[in-house]
Amino acid sequence: MKMSSYRGSVLLSLTLLIYLHRAAVHGLLCHCDICADSNDTCVTDGYCFTSTSLHRDTGVVVHAYRCLDRKSFFPMEFPIVCSVYTHHTEEMKVECCNDSHLCNLHLVPSLATPITTTTTTTTTTTIHTSLMPENPQGKGTVSLGTWELAVVIALPIVILSVIVTIAYNIWQKRRRSRHQLPYRSEDSIEAPDHPILGGVSLRDMIEMTTSGSGSGLPLLVQRSIARQIQLVEIIGKGRFGEVWRGRWRGENVAVKIFSSREERSWFREAEIYQTVMLRHDNILGFIAADNKDNGTWTQLWLITDYHENGSLFDYLNRSTVDTAGMIRMTLSIATGLAHLHMEIVGTQGKPAIAHRDLKSKNILVKSNTTCAIGDLGLAVRHDVATDTVDIPLNNRVGTKRYMAPEVLEELININHFDSFKRADVYALGLIFWEIARRCNVGGIYDDYQLPFYDMVQSDPTIEEMRKVVCLDRQRPSIPNRWQSNVALHVMSKVMKECWYQNAAARLTALRIKKTLANLGAAEDLKI
């Protein structure tokens, strides 16, 4: 009997040594109350734990001794149930340890408000949790309390909400970027509190950064200026939207605000203004382009030089000009159009550009009464490499009153770029007629009128203009008194050569410029 007891003790010792060795090699040895086949022990790479729980039906306090594997941790860095506060509710308390083998054997977690003091150890009760599935080796699992369960449920919802919010913000940013120019920086870049080139005027800034003939200000400077402009008063309205007088660091600027349906015109005009070597004294000075998103709608801004005299249409309505003033105005317009039509060859060359909507309302009068051509929203460029026009065209574009005969009859060759330049020259002749009527010679001048004012209604239709211009071949009337004045006589001759029915017979903008320059020189000598 003693020998049998001795052998049993030896066998138990050997078994314990085997498990201690196994624990030393594979992990921590813990007391396990449901592991009878492994001598009431389990091995884990995590923690040993002891739990005290209250059986809801019987009110009996139950102790459980188990292993908590690392794969069952939540979160993965450190399990909630083994936090420094321990898992503690009125019906259960869990304590963990990993400082020594079988350390949980001496842990006795006590409930905060136990209903009964009767305790027992069971090998049949298991504590279930979604985080710790049943272990095939017999290691126990631990249940979660109210707080941990709330975290488990809420955490995926919070993560999903964050992902959805980030995705929505990215979508909004890409949506807004569709309104941005291709040369714009990301919308998240805000303008600095002060312009990059502080202490200089807009003219100085443009000359310093573009050498007076480049493709516009640096993009960040454009954005900086646009974000600092204060709108003062509305000065005009058109098919595109509104024009405001704005202020930037004490300087006046013109802000053309396009409506959302005119986005293509805004984009196109800004793109044309960015053309290399387009800047010219007789082309409206471009400063910046920007889109202003206030969260509800997007405003499309085009910022240019401000000219207090307004458009040529406004100026001629309220003022007359003398002979020198007429020549100065017409020469400046012809010079601007010649530069627009001119192709400059070179590495930093400029393509030929046709305006397609030339009229007195699209020309600005500067303080020295010279003019600058504006409103390039319908302009097209000539691609020399392919000898094509750079955008799909509608052959009936512009203001009906100023349309050339071939445009009215839809006979213009849209694949031949010179056709568009000739249509511009036709409109130029009508503008010269408007100016010449207001030329005050010896106190004699005519009231301001639009071309064909006595032949069509105020807002003529295509059919009306076609009948007058193409079928009847009528042109604005030239008063006989113009023939007695050298300057007006030359002007009338130029007009007629601008509005020939045959487009190929019309003068070029460069030829008109030279003729008016010679007239100006002759007038100076006469004076």
Side-chain angles (χ1 to χ4, degrees):
M1 189 68 181
K2 288 182 179 180
M3 182 61 70
S4 175
S5 176
Y6 174 74
R7 288 177 179 174
S9 298
V10 171
L11 184 60
L12 179 62
S13 299
L14 287 173
T15 302
L16 185 59
L17 285 173
I18 290 171
Y19 272 91
L20 285 172
H21 174 72
R22 177 184 166 196
V25 174
H26 298 288
L28 180 67
L29 186 68
C30 303
H31 177 53
C32 177
D33 58 356
I34 58 171
C35 306
D37 56 343
S38 58
N39 199 29
D40 294 330
T41 60
C42 57
V43 178
T44 181
D45 58 353
Y47 289 88
C48 302
F49 75 87
T50 301
S51 68
T52 301
S53 60
L54 182 67
H55 197 286
R56 294 183 179 180
D57 296 330
T58 62
V60 175
V61 175
V62 179
H63 295 291
Y65 303 86
R66 312 288 163 83
C67 289
L68 178 60
D69 290 343
R70 188 171 296 277
K71 68 180 181 181
S72 300
F73 283 12
F74 181 82
M76 292 301 296
E77 295 79 10
F78 188 77
I80 292 175
V81 294
C82 292
S83 67
V84 293
Y85 301 105
T86 72
H87 187 88
H88 193 173
T89 68
E90 290 186 354
E91 297 183 355
M92 185 177 74
K93 183 175 182 181
V94 177
E95 291 185 7
C96 303
C97 63
N98 66 348
D99 52 345
S100 63
H101 295 302
L102 302 175
C103 59
N104 64 327
L105 188 59
H106 306 294
L107 297 178
V108 186
S110 58
L111 296 175
T113 56
I115 297 177
T116 177
T117 58
T118 305
T119 62
T120 181
T121 301
T122 177
T123 59
T124 59
T125 304
T126 58
I127 305 170
H128 296 286
T129 174
S130 60
L131 290 176
M132 294 179 287
E134 291 186 6
N135 192 309
Q137 296 182 9
K139 301 183 181 80
T141 57
V142 179
S143 66
L144 294 179
T146 305
W147 186 82
E148 288 80 9
L149 187 60
V151 171
V152 171
I153 294 173
L155 191 61
I157 297 174
V158 172
I159 293 173
L160 182 61
S161 300
V162 171
I163 293 173
V164 170
T165 302
I166 293 173
Y168 177 77
N169 289 335
I170 293 173
W171 176 78
Q172 283 281 57
K173 183 178 290 186
R174 289 180 178 175
R175 178 173 172 269
R176 287 194 298 269
S177 70
R178 289 199 296 269
H179 297 288
Q180 296 176 350
L181 295 173
Y183 53 79
R184 279 278 307 280
S185 57
E186 288 189 10
D187 196 53
S188 60
I189 300 177
E190 292 296 334
D193 291 338
H194 300 285
I196 292 174
L197 299 175
V200 296
S201 68
L202 284 170
R203 179 172 294 278
D204 293 336
M205 188 182 297
I206 290 169
E207 290 178 355
M208 289 168 61
T209 57
T210 68
S211 301
S213 61
S215 60
L217 288 165
L219 307 181
L220 189 56
V221 177
Q222 285 190 38
R223 193 170 184 82
S224 173
I225 293 171
R227 292 299 171 92
Q228 297 176 32
I229 289 175
Q230 180 182 10
L231 299 180
V232 179
E233 61 177 340
I234 189 168
I235 56 177
K237 289 187 177 182
R239 58 172 176 76
F240 54 84
E242 301 173 340
V243 180
W244 287 73
R245 177 173 69 88
R247 298 283 287 175
W248 181 82
R249 299 191 61 191
E251 295 185 60
N252 284 320
V253 294
V255 181
K256 193 173 179 181
I257 302 178
F258 290 73
S259 62
S260 56
R261 64 178 177 274
E262 292 294 333
E263 179 181 355
R264 183 170 181 80
S265 292
W266 167 77
F267 186 99
R268 184 61 178 171
E269 190 164 2
E271 185 182 33
I272 292 291
Y273 272 125
Q274 298 283 66
T275 301
V276 173
M277 303 207 55
L278 178 62
R279 186 167 293 280
H280 189 275
D281 282 343
N282 301 121
I283 294 176
L284 182 60
F286 169 77
I287 297 173
D290 195 14
N291 55 11
K292 297 282 189 123
D293 192 344
N294 66 359
T296 305
W297 69 88
T298 300
Q299 286 187 336
L300 309 173
W301 281 25
L302 191 76
I303 301 145
T304 64
D305 290 342
Y306 172 78
H307 300 294
E308 61 182 10
N309 285 327
S311 70
L312 180 62
F313 173 83
D314 296 329
Y315 185 83
L316 294 177
N317 261 290
R318 63 176 182 265
S319 305
T320 59
V321 295
D322 57 14
T323 303
M326 176 186 68
I327 297 172
R328 185 164 53 250
M329 276 188 169
T330 53
L331 176 58
S332 63
I333 298 170
T335 302
L337 188 62
H339 180 73
L340 206 61
H341 285 181
M342 183 189 305
E343 175 194 341
I344 301 175
V345 181
T347 306
Q348 293 293 315
K350 173 191 133 342
I353 299 172
H355 192 283
R356 292 205 303 164
D357 194 21
L358 204 61
K359 58 183 178 181
S360 55
K361 290 184 179 180
N362 288 341
I363 295 172
L364 284 302
V365 179
K366 303 166 78 170
S367 58
N368 61 0
T369 68
T370 61
C371 296
I373 298 172
D375 197 345
L376 302 179
L378 296 177
V380 293
R381 292 182 296 198
H382 182 218
D383 187 338
V384 182
T386 59
D387 192 25
T388 57
V389 182
D390 65 345
I391 61 170
L393 297 168
N394 179 347
N395 61 346
R396 190 178 276 174
V397 175
T399 303
K400 295 185 283 289
R401 189 180 295 271
Y402 292 83
M403 283 182 179
E406 63 273 18
V407 178
L408 290 167
E409 291 188 300
E410 300 186 50
L411 297 176
I412 186 171
N413 183 358
I414 62 175
N415 297 315
H416 186 45
F417 185 75
D418 281 354
S419 301
F420 297 102
K421 294 198 294 185
R422 292 164 182 166
D424 281 350
V425 169
Y426 172 87
L428 182 66
L430 299 179
I431 294 168
F432 285 177
W433 177 85
E434 294 177 65
I435 297 172
R437 277 181 60 90
R438 299 296 281 161
C439 183
N440 187 339
V441 179
I444 302 174
Y445 57 89
D446 296 305
D447 293 336
Y448 175 77
Q449 295 291 350
L450 286 169
F452 305 106
Y453 74 98
D454 53 348
M455 305 176 198
V456 297
Q457 59 181 341
S458 58
D459 184 18
T461 63
I462 290 286
E463 289 70 25
E464 286 179 300
M465 292 305 305
R466 186 190 298 122
K467 180 181 184 304
V468 170
V469 174
C470 304
L471 299 180
D472 299 342
R473 299 199 173 192
Q474 295 192 61
R475 297 294 185 269
S477 59
I478 295 177
N480 291 329
R481 65 180 179 83
W482 287 9
Q483 307 309 315
S484 59
N485 180 277
V486 175
L488 285 170
H489 175 68
V490 172
M491 287 299 304
S492 63
K493 187 173 183 297
V494 169
M495 290 174 211
K496 292 175 182 178
E497 293 180 313
C498 286
W499 59 44
Y500 279 135
Q501 197 79 13
N502 178 9
R506 295 172 197 155
L507 298 174
T508 64
L510 186 59
R511 179 68 261 169
I512 297 167
K513 172 188 171 182
K514 291 179 178 178
T515 299
L516 295 177
N518 292 335
L519 175 62
E523 286 294 313
D524 287 342
L525 289 174
K526 187 184 298 183
I527 294 172

